[in-house]
Amino acid sequence: MPTLTRRDWLHTAALGSLAALWHTPQSLVAQPTPFTNPQSLIRLNANENPYSPSAHVQQALIDAFAKVSRYPYLERPVLRQHLAEKFGLSPQHVLDTVGSTEGLKIAGLVLGGSTGSILAAQPTFLAMLSFAQKFGSYIDFVPLGSELVHDLDAMEKRLTHQTQLVFVCNPNNPTGTLLPADELEAFCRRVAQRCYVFVDEAYIDYVTQANYPSMVKLVKEGLNVIVARTFSKVYGLAGLRVGYLLARPDIIERLATHQVERPNQLGIAAALAALQDEAFYHYSLEQNEKVKRYIYELLDELGRRYVRSHANFVFFHTGRDIDEVVSFMQAEGLWVGRPFPPLRDWCRVSLGTFEQMERFAAALRKMYA
Ligand SMILES: Cc1ncc(COP(=O)(O)O)c(C=O)c1O
């Protein structure tokens, strides 16, 4: 009997799901993502959208297959045009990137400077920082304040002549905290007179506060501010790797020269379709809010401290080392977030489907039983 290696299995599984994509007549209602990792763990560790893209986006992907023999010379400007219109900017203000991770890395490399420093909160999202560090940037970490919110005063006091770039993740990963808009805006205005300010808005769609502003308004004014956005979260396209930066055209031009790769035909087609797909967008947000309330209730019941989240994950105090928590959860079939030093006795759990969170709830109750 032929044996199936793990590699064969992965290949077969991938082809199987591609075939399913091609043949299954889907309703417009989003379906829970069937894919878990090879060990069948439920993935609550990477802040992914638990729902597959809607039939609308799936159809756009199928249609785009006909174009995959072509480089996306013509399609990239279309995406940039759509994004420019969405934000009231020009296409020259937009750089489409391979996930926002590519934009974060380019900005860290180009603006962070090999002889300068980047100022950032700790803990925060590290993609830019660890990359820039490899090229010689010094990362000046400022601990989060008492409520695990960015301490903007302390950050501003830490600015030196060496500081070339300030990184602000808002809402912050891993804490899910949101800065008061007026304080962030005033901070960006002052700091952008001295160096670049990079605001990572990967989770801003999840913010429910009415009229909460994006720092894109400062890009519009021509300040030294760069904003990063992604199609990986609320739009549910993490596997297709599409993100973008919004900044003044001269900054975009500088960053573009350092791009290593570009978004591809399928990613661009899906992103364009996702921008039109309001039903999926709102469905994702509604489900996220429902599941978040359920997790708050669970953590209240178990007497755990947690941070009110403005994103698709919740950060809670475990009272034990995160490695121990991760191992326990893996044994229960769940994959939760990694260590975020120095907060090693906290855990970040991404918000999955309701059924997945019921599994998480059962495991957490067992852990504290
Ligand atoms: C704050 C933040 N920024 C950016 C990213 C990167 O997302 P992507 O490269 O998929 O756009 C993530 C992913 O988890 C994130 O948490």
Side-chain angles (χ1 to χ4, degrees):
M1 201 175 100
T3 52
L4 199 63
T5 63
R6 184 164 165 270
R7 200 165 153 207
D8 292 338
W9 182 86
L10 283 172
H11 184 65
T12 315
L15 286 180
S17 47
L18 204 60
L21 183 73
W22 194 278
H23 293 297
T24 318
Q26 294 276 359
S27 78
L28 271 171
V29 177
Q31 303 293 320
T33 306
F35 180 77
T36 54
N37 72 57
Q39 290 83 35
S40 299
L41 297 181
I42 293 173
R43 289 162 64 128
L44 304 176
N45 67 328
N47 304 341
E48 296 155 331
N49 192 324
Y51 298 99
S52 304
S54 68
H56 175 62
V57 171
Q58 292 189 18
Q59 189 59 51
L61 278 165
I62 290 167
D63 294 344
F65 278 144
K67 293 198 285 189
V68 296
S69 58
R70 303 289 179 189
Y71 294 113
Y73 298 139
L74 303 176
E75 289 76 6
R76 286 186 67 209
V78 176
L79 178 60
R80 286 197 295 262
Q81 177 69 39
H82 274 78
L83 293 170
E85 278 166 19
K86 175 175 162 72
F87 293 100
L89 295 166
S90 79
Q92 289 71 33
H93 283 87
V94 185
L95 183 64
D96 50 325
T97 53
V98 181
S100 58
T101 298
E102 192 196 24
L104 287 157
K105 288 182 175 177
I106 299 170
L109 183 65
V110 176
L111 308 177
S114 55
T115 53
S117 65
I118 304 178
L119 188 65
Q122 188 178 45
T124 192
F125 188 62
L126 292 177
M128 165 192 284
L129 310 171
S130 32
F131 189 72
Q133 199 172 35
K134 288 192 182 87
F135 290 90
S137 290
Y138 172 73
I139 312 302
D140 199 2
F141 281 116
V142 178
L144 295 175
S146 56
E147 301 297 315
L148 297 186
V149 181
H150 279 69
D151 187 343
L152 293 180
D153 287 341
M155 287 178 77
E156 203 167 339
K157 285 191 190 116
R158 277 276 273 279
L159 286 172
T160 69
H161 293 300
Q162 294 290 101
T163 314
Q164 302 201 359
L165 179 63
V166 175
F167 175 72
V168 181
C169 186
N170 188 53
N172 190 38
N173 180 5
T175 51
T177 46
L178 184 72
L179 280 159
D182 49 349
E183 286 176 31
L184 175 62
E185 185 180 329
F187 172 87
C188 290
R189 284 184 186 285
R190 284 192 304 273
V191 175
Q193 291 174 27
R194 299 178 58 178
C195 63
Y196 292 104
V197 183
F198 189 107
V199 188
D200 185 340
E201 296 186 345
Y203 300 100
I204 201 160
D205 296 273
Y206 293 100
V207 173
T208 53
Q209 241 177 62
N211 303 319
Y212 188 86
S214 160
M215 289 303 117
V216 170
K217 66 194 280 193
L218 304 184
V219 171
K220 247 179 233 174
E221 289 182 32
L223 306 193
N224 285 324
V225 172
I226 302 102
V227 171
R229 293 286 190 101
T230 181
F231 283 94
S232 299
K233 306 300 173 183
V234 71
Y235 294 105
L237 301 179
L240 285 167
R241 316 302 304 123
V242 191
Y244 54 99
L245 300 180
L246 302 167
R248 229 174 38 224
D250 62 295
I251 302 176
I252 290 293
E253 228 174 279
R254 246 183 101 193
L255 297 175
T257 58
H258 284 70
Q259 251 187 312
V260 173
E261 251 317 320
R262 277 104 183 136
N264 61 52
Q265 290 283 21
L266 295 180
I268 294 170
L272 283 168
L275 284 174
Q276 312 297 327
D277 194 349
E278 289 192 16
F280 180 83
Y281 180 90
H282 292 296
Y283 179 81
S284 291
L285 295 180
E286 278 161 24
Q287 294 306 309
N288 192 67
E289 278 306 300
K290 275 188 203 155
V291 166
K292 193 161 66 178
R293 276 198 296 276
Y294 173 73
I295 292 303
Y296 288 166
E297 280 166 24
L298 169 75
L299 294 169
D300 285 337
E301 169 202 316
L302 294 171
R304 305 315 315 171
R305 217 158 21 112
Y306 57 90
V307 186
R308 294 247 151 208
S309 171
H310 298 268
N312 63 347
F313 53 85
V314 174
F315 199 50
F316 67 98
H317 186 244
T318 55
R320 55 188 80 181
D321 192 80
I322 184 65
D323 288 343
E324 195 187 314
V325 176
V326 169
S327 302
F328 182 90
M329 287 293 168
Q330 288 196 353
E332 296 298 315
L334 299 146
W335 197 358
V336 294
R338 55 188 184 276
F340 292 101
L343 304 176
R344 289 198 59 95
D345 52 354
W346 287 73
C347 174
R348 187 194 72 188
V349 63
S350 306
L351 298 174
T353 62
F354 201 79
E355 294 69 29
Q356 289 171 339
M357 300 323 281
E358 282 181 326
R359 286 275 304 275
F360 171 74
L364 201 68
R365 287 191 184 103
K366 187 170 165 187
M367 193 171 97
Y368 289 114

